[in-house]
Amino acid sequence: MKHRGRHRRRRRGRALRACLTGTALALTAAATMISASQATVTDDPGPLTRLASTAELEQLQLAEEPEARAGLDRLAAAMGRPVGVAEVLAGADHTLRTADACPADDRRSLPTAPAATRAYCFGAADTRSWRPGAVALPGDRADGRWDGRRVLVSAWSRPRSAEDGPAGGTSGGTDAASSAAPSGGAGPARVAFIDAADPDRLAYTWALLAVPVDGGRDYRALSSPVAGMVWYGDKLLVTAGGRDDRALYVYDVDRVQRADVDSTAVGRVPGGWSAGGARFVLPAVGAYRLTGDARIGSIALDRTTSPDSLVASEAVPEGSRRPTRLWRYSLSLDPARAGLPSVDPRGRAVPDAAYETKVTEVRGVLARGPVWYVTGAAENADGHGMLWRLEDGGGTSARCGPDDTRQCWSAPAGSLTLAEGTGAVWSQSGRMLFSQGLNAIDSSQG
């Protein structure tokens, strides 16, 4: 009996040691996974890799889909004369607060290095349940003016509520949160036209981003977050995601329509037209589809190339370990197509160049010739992201804090847009809209 007891104790001891060994191995594996994951956040991504094969570039072609002019004219005839940016700004009915008047929780989303030179915040009541997106300004104007007014555009989108009905787009008006195309959890998108004439008092008003339906007899809300946006000439290009099946939508800033009914509905309603509570509507005048398997994450304008170019970053699925693609399209030199990518006889925009980077979770892109800037998300969704400067020789980023971290950008990281005349780079994070000089960004790279 004593021998059998000793054997049982030995077996239990071996089992316990095996269990502890397994636990240790599991912890080691978890630590390895965490370390590998963190490597994507903090390690040098190395140089850009150029994609040169025809097959690789064909995956990134854009197929152009212009909106029928007859439908746009029908919508304008029903809604009334379109208005321009100056008339929209004249109706600004909200103001942004300067940084010193913003809540401390909001200010914590600002970059830590380099620090923002200008910062403002939207009010909580005006943006509750809305998520910030891209920022744009008249990119082809050195003074950042349109219709003689200094102006910014800030995009926002709202997730679709489970309480909302089916997606709309039919006459009779639909609720703003359900008026999107069939796109799962995506709700409506809107932009704030911001009068930036007085840097100490930015005023704005809302315009719904819409898509004409039924031959211009009605419209629905664009159903997508707006992660990237470029304003060139009278064209505003915005990214589209979700299940909308378009990569970009095109808007004409000289074709803004007034909404004459104030309600949560979108489209034609009894008594007129509604824009989900916004005072204005921007109907899309065209769209682009990607011909391959890529999905555009963000876009920006590069005016250092000849001709000017539209640059794009890829939205790589979360958790994917594959590289992120970056590419550019030449903008058309045809005055009738100002602000649009050049297309071949098939109506396809073919990339001039494309690259891969090891930076993952890219949220914003900017390019100045061979130098690219990308913002990367942090491991923690609410944590500070990074801004990488990438070129053929490798990647650099700012370092900050006592632990010399690279996570010095905004929390979370967002899109980038450059004011050509001043060199200011604009972005937004949370309710904060901010800018800092590109020279300061370059000087901070370690």
Side-chain angles (χ1 to χ4, degrees), residues 79 81-94 189-193 204-210 219 253 255-262 265-266 273-283:
M79 296 189 70
R81 180 185 62 85
V83 300
V85 172
E87 290 176 86
V88 173
L89 294 180
D93 50 354
H94 304 273
R190 63 182 184 178
V191 293
F193 278 91
Y204 67 95
T205 193
W206 294 109
L208 179 77
L209 294 177
Y219 57 81
V253 297
R255 294 189 71 110
V256 184
Q257 301 287 163
R258 293 185 186 273
D260 52 9
V261 175
D262 183 10
V266 166
W273 301 85
S274 179
R279 301 178 65 183
F280 298 94
V281 181
L282 260 177

Side-chain angles (χ1 to χ4, degrees), residues 208-221:
L208 179 77
L209 294 177
V211 179
V213 296
D214 193 20
R217 296 174 180 84
D218 205 347
Y219 57 81
R220 63 173 175 85

Side-chain angles (χ1 to χ4, degrees), residues 25-410:
L25 289 172
L27 290 172
T28 301
T32 301
M33 290 175 64
I34 292 171
S35 177
S37 177
Q38 288 173 338
T40 65
V41 174
T42 60
D43 287 0
D44 181 351
L48 292 169
T49 302
R50 182 152 190 159
L51 304 178
S53 76
T54 301
E56 289 171 319
L57 295 180
E58 284 180 348
Q59 292 292 312
L60 304 173
Q61 292 182 15
L62 287 172
E64 190 171 66
E65 297 180 349
E67 189 72 31
R69 182 61 183 255
L72 293 170
D73 290 344
R74 181 181 290 117
L75 185 63
M79 296 189 70
R81 180 185 62 85
V83 300
V85 172
E87 290 176 86
V88 173
L89 294 180
D93 50 354
H94 304 273
T95 57
L96 287 105
R97 286 175 286 179
T98 54
D100 56 352
C102 296
D105 284 348
D106 288 350
R107 294 200 304 271
R108 275 192 278 272
S109 70
L110 292 171
T112 57
T117 52
R118 292 193 179 278
Y120 309 87
C121 62
F122 287 85
D126 202 25
T127 55
R128 186 170 293 114
S129 80
W130 292 84
R131 297 172 180 171
V135 182
L137 46 79
D140 60 327
R141 308 294 177 93
D143 59 2
R145 296 176 186 271
W146 188 260
D147 283 352
R149 308 286 288 272
R150 194 179 300 277
V151 58
L152 293 164
V153 179
S154 165
W156 293 74
S157 62
R158 186 170 69 185
R160 188 174 168 199
S161 169
E163 299 175 357
D164 295 324
T170 58
S171 295
T174 54
D175 183 81
S178 63
S179 61
S183 55
R190 63 182 184 178
V191 293
F193 278 91
I194 303 171
D195 186 344
D198 182 354
D200 294 322
R201 188 186 183 279
L202 270 56
Y204 67 95
T205 193
W206 294 109
L208 179 77
L209 294 177
V211 179
V213 296
D214 193 20
R217 296 174 180 84
D218 205 347
Y219 57 81
R220 63 173 175 85
L222 171 65
S223 172
S224 174
V226 180
M229 190 161 54
V230 164
W231 185 345
Y232 191 100
D234 60 2
K235 300 300 188 295
L236 185 69
L237 280 67
V238 308
T239 58
R243 299 175 189 167
D244 198 79
D245 202 27
R246 270 79 172 179
L248 299 171
Y249 273 96
V250 184
Y251 294 88
D252 186 335
V253 297
D254 287 334
R255 294 189 71 110
V256 184
Q257 301 287 163
R258 293 185 186 273
D260 52 9
V261 175
D262 183 10
S263 78
T264 60
V266 166
R268 186 189 290 273
V269 296
W273 301 85
S274 179
R279 301 178 65 183
F280 298 94
V281 181
L282 260 177
V285 299
Y288 291 89
R289 296 177 188 265
L290 272 169
T291 58
D293 62 350
R295 187 163 66 87
I296 292 179
S298 191
I299 55 175
L301 175 66
D302 184 1
R303 298 205 65 204
T304 66
T305 58
S306 182
D308 296 344
S309 55
L310 177 72
V311 299
S313 63
E314 183 181 14
V316 176
E318 187 174 351
S320 173
R321 313 303 287 180
R322 69 177 176 82
T324 300
R325 287 174 283 189
L326 310 171
W327 65 97
R328 68 170 74 242
Y329 308 98
S330 289
L331 292 181
S332 178
L333 294 174
D334 182 352
R337 293 181 49 84
L340 300 177
S342 296
V343 294
D344 63 18
R346 301 171 301 162
R348 299 282 184 94
V350 181
D352 293 329
Y355 307 87
E356 282 185 345
T357 175
K358 294 179 182 177
V359 178
T360 58
E361 303 291 335
V362 171
R363 295 292 182 264
V365 64
L366 198 65
R368 304 284 286 169
V371 180
W372 292 71
Y373 302 83
V374 297
T375 59
E379 186 71 19
N380 177 354
D382 297 323
H384 281 266
M386 295 150 297
L387 191 154
W388 288 96
R389 185 180 191 270
L390 306 172
E391 48 193 323
D392 291 342
T396 57
S397 66
R399 291 185 178 273
C400 57
D403 55 351
D404 206 29
T405 180
R406 295 184 189 270
Q407 294 178 229
C408 308
W409 193 244
S410 61

